[in-house]
Coordinates of all heavy atoms in Angstrom, one line a residue:
C531 N -36.3 8.2 -9.3 CA -37.7 8.2 -9.8 C -37.9 9.6 -10.5 O -37.7 10.6 -9.9 CB -38.6 8.0 -8.7 SG -40.3 8.3 -9.1
T533 N -40.7 10.7 -11.4 CA -42.0 11.3 -11.0 C -41.9 12.1 -9.7 O -42.2 13.3 -9.6 CB -43.1 10.2 -10.8 OG1 -43.1 9.4 -12.0 CG2 -44.5 10.8 -10.6
C534 N -41.3 11.5 -8.6 CA -41.3 12.2 -7.3 C -39.9 12.6 -6.9 O -39.7 13.2 -5.9 CB -42.0 11.3 -6.2 SG -40.9 9.9 -5.7
G535 N -38.9 12.1 -7.6 CA -37.5 12.6 -7.3 C -36.8 11.7 -6.3 O -35.7 11.9 -5.9
W536 N -37.5 10.6 -5.8 CA -36.8 9.7 -4.9 C -35.5 9.1 -5.5 O -35.5 9.0 -6.7 CB -37.8 8.5 -4.6 CG -37.2 7.3 -3.9 CD1 -37.1 7.2 -2.6 CD2 -36.5 6.2 -4.5 NE1 -36.4 6.0 -2.3 CE2 -36.1 5.4 -3.4 CE3 -36.3 5.8 -5.8 CZ2 -35.4 4.2 -3.6 CZ3 -35.6 4.6 -6.0 CH2 -35.1 3.8 -4.9
C571 N -41.0 2.6 -7.8 CA -40.5 3.6 -6.8 C -41.1 3.3 -5.4 O -42.3 3.2 -5.3 CB -40.9 5.0 -7.2 SG -40.5 6.2 -6.0
A573 N -41.3 5.1 -3.0 CA -42.0 6.3 -2.4 C -43.4 6.5 -3.0 O -44.4 6.5 -2.4 CB -41.2 7.6 -2.6
C574 N -43.4 6.6 -4.4 CA -44.7 6.9 -5.0 C -45.3 5.8 -5.8 O -46.4 5.8 -6.3 CB -44.6 8.1 -5.9 SG -43.7 7.8 -7.5
G575 N -44.5 4.7 -6.0 CA -45.1 3.5 -6.6 C -45.0 3.6 -8.2 O -45.3 2.6 -8.8
D576 N -44.6 4.7 -8.7 CA -44.5 4.8 -10.2 C -43.4 4.0 -10.7 O -42.4 3.6 -10.0 CB -44.3 6.3 -10.5 CG -44.8 6.6 -11.9 OD1 -44.8 5.7 -12.7 OD2 -45.3 7.8 -12.1
Ligands
ZN2 ZN1 -41.4 8.1 -7.1

Side-chain angles (χ1 to χ4, degrees):
C531 169
T533 310
C534 75
W536 170 89
C571 172
C574 74
D576 208 328

